[in-house]
Amino acid sequence: MSGELRSVTPPLCRAGLRTVPRPARGVDQRDLTVRHNWRRIPCLVPSPTLAQPARHVTAPDVGGLGLILPTFPQYRAELPSAAALADLCRRAEAGGAGALWVCDHIFWHGPALEALSALGVAAGATSGVAVGTCILQLPLRHAPSVAKEAASLSHLSGGRLVLGVGVGTHAGEYAAAGVEFQGRGRRLDAGIDTLRRSWEVSSDARYAQLPAAGPVPVWVGGSSEAALRRAARRGDGWIPLFLPPDDYAAALGRLDKEAERVGRDSATVARATVAFVSVGTSDATERGLGWMASLYGLPARSFERHLVAGSARRCAAALARFVDAGAQHVAVFMASDDPLVQFEDLAGEFAGLTASRSAPPRAARAVEQVEDQVWR
């Protein structure tokens, strides 16, 4: 990523989809003031290129896969240290990752790192790759606190943060947190609105979230129709899970119609998806299904239609079908505690295949045949 790109727009802003509203009229973000004990005190903010996130909300390059970081190890006895996680992030960025993502569970049946803490390590260890949550269960958290944490991460990362949010599906986790499971969708809607209000700066506010980092792109996670509608109405992007390419393409059509129904340009909603992948030889499927079964505490057969497995080229061809369906980004959840080697091989093949979409018909048909074998 060139220095010129970073100085104008962060890595998610190569083709801006929309302009995010500026702060309240008359507010200079580089010389903000607040009232304190009836005196006006200047609050100097660093240069906008450092303090403000993107004014355009878009997706990472389709030629670069996103990697979900291994913060939920299944076969290792210990969680990764900060040093180990930082090293993995640097190597993933060098290996072609378009974004680094972190999943979120506050209560789980196995060890897990807290999402925003792990994301801070990722942001500090990298310089150009996008970083994001995939996804943060906002109804389990205090939305103004999340707004401050997200604004701080956006500032520290130079505007590279994407905040993915969703409701989650585990009633037991809500019970452990002392939060009602029912009504979580309404609380998510209210939470997204609270995030955006918190990121706004009023010229006469005595208490505000400063420095004014500006709006952070909010992507809505989830494969349900409620999640799709929420993304169309409130989100800057949609990032579902467990949707095969054909179903994903159909869902994007419904997303477009819903956005248009509420008066939005459907092009302002970034399109992404999550896919589980196991790269390897003849045992890749068995290994991957076993890892997913351990992660979710469910029988391996539950994930047979949701795991992409096989050689790096075979897996890349399967993921390229999401791009053909309309995805601007594919976040890959490698079904392994050591995802980097598999991911590097996959990212190289994927970059080549997405570039070959303009190849001669014969070569393109060869790619299609590989894809059909994976998703059949």
Side-chain angles (χ1 to χ4, degrees):
M1 217 156 278
S2 70
E4 181 182 358
L5 266 177
R6 285 199 299 274
S7 68
V8 178
T9 54
L12 299 185
C13 306
R14 306 221 174 124
L17 296 182
R18 75 177 177 86
T19 300
V20 208
R22 294 179 180 272
R25 182 174 297 175
V27 178
D28 183 351
Q29 292 200 22
R30 285 166 288 182
D31 186 16
L32 296 171
T33 59
V34 295
R35 298 181 185 275
H36 180 64
N37 292 336
W38 305 108
R39 293 179 297 161
R40 296 183 68 81
I41 302 175
C43 300
L44 297 179
V45 180
S47 164
T49 58
L50 295 177
Q52 298 180 34
R55 293 196 180 282
H56 303 285
V57 181
T58 184
D61 265 352
V62 296
L65 293 178
L67 173 64
I68 296 179
L69 297 175
T71 57
F72 287 77
Q74 298 306 300
Y75 302 134
R76 285 188 168 178
E78 297 181 354
L79 291 167
S81 65
L85 187 61
D87 181 64
L88 186 147
C89 292
R90 283 189 289 268
R91 292 169 60 195
E93 181 177 30
L100 299 177
W101 301 95
V102 177
C103 295
D104 171 54
H105 283 290
I106 297 177
F107 292 91
W108 198 235
H109 56 257
L113 288 174
E114 194 279 322
L116 294 174
S117 302
L119 208 59
V121 174
T126 56
S127 59
V129 69
V131 294
T133 52
C134 182
I135 52 85
L136 195 77
Q137 296 177 97
L138 190 58
L140 288 175
R141 296 171 181 258
H142 182 239
S145 298
V146 172
K148 182 62 175 178
E149 292 163 338
S152 297
L153 277 171
S154 182
H155 165 70
L156 293 171
S157 67
R160 293 183 284 134
L161 177 69
V162 176
L163 186 65
V165 298
V167 296
T169 59
H170 301 274
E173 185 171 12
Y174 273 77
V179 178
E180 285 290 333
F181 188 67
Q182 299 299 321
R184 64 197 187 283
R186 291 190 299 273
R187 292 197 299 277
L188 176 57
D189 291 339
I192 294 173
D193 294 343
T194 298
L195 293 176
R196 295 208 164 106
R197 283 195 302 270
S198 299
W199 294 327
E200 294 173 356
V201 176
S202 173
S203 58
D204 59 355
R206 178 175 179 180
Y207 296 101
Q209 292 198 357
L210 301 171
V216 174
V218 176
W219 289 9
V220 175
S223 304
S224 68
E225 290 301 306
L228 183 151
R229 291 192 298 270
R230 182 172 293 113
R233 297 171 185 174
R234 280 184 164 82
D236 299 309
W238 183 45
I239 183 164
L241 173 67
F242 294 143
L243 282 183
D246 290 344
D247 294 347
Y248 180 72
L252 289 183
R254 298 194 299 276
L255 178 74
D256 290 342
K257 290 181 180 178
E258 181 64 20
E260 292 165 3
R261 191 185 71 80
V262 298
R264 289 188 67 182
D265 179 357
S266 60
T268 64
V269 185
R271 291 108 198 286
T273 192
V274 180
F276 279 90
V277 178
S278 178
V279 174
T281 54
S282 58
D283 66 338
T285 299
E286 183 179 357
R287 283 190 293 102
L289 290 175
W291 193 92
M292 293 179 70
S294 176
L295 175 66
Y296 284 100
L298 294 171
R301 63 179 181 274
S302 305
F303 307 104
E304 288 176 349
R305 69 186 295 259
H306 300 301
L307 175 68
V308 177
S311 69
R313 180 172 178 79
R314 177 184 174 92
C315 292
L319 297 181
R321 284 192 60 188
F322 286 110
V323 177
D324 294 340
Q328 296 165 300
H329 181 70
V330 181
V332 175
F333 207 143
M334 305 303 302
S336 170
D337 289 350
D338 299 295
L340 196 56
V341 173
Q342 293 186 38
F343 178 80
E344 288 173 339
D345 292 342
L346 178 67
E349 292 285 355
F350 184 80
L353 284 176
T354 52
S356 72
R357 281 334 203 218
S358 58
R362 181 183 234 170
R365 180 56 193 154
V367 172
E368 291 172 3
Q369 288 173 346
V370 175
E371 295 168 355
D372 290 342
Q373 292 170 6
V374 175
W375 291 106
R376 186 173 298 160

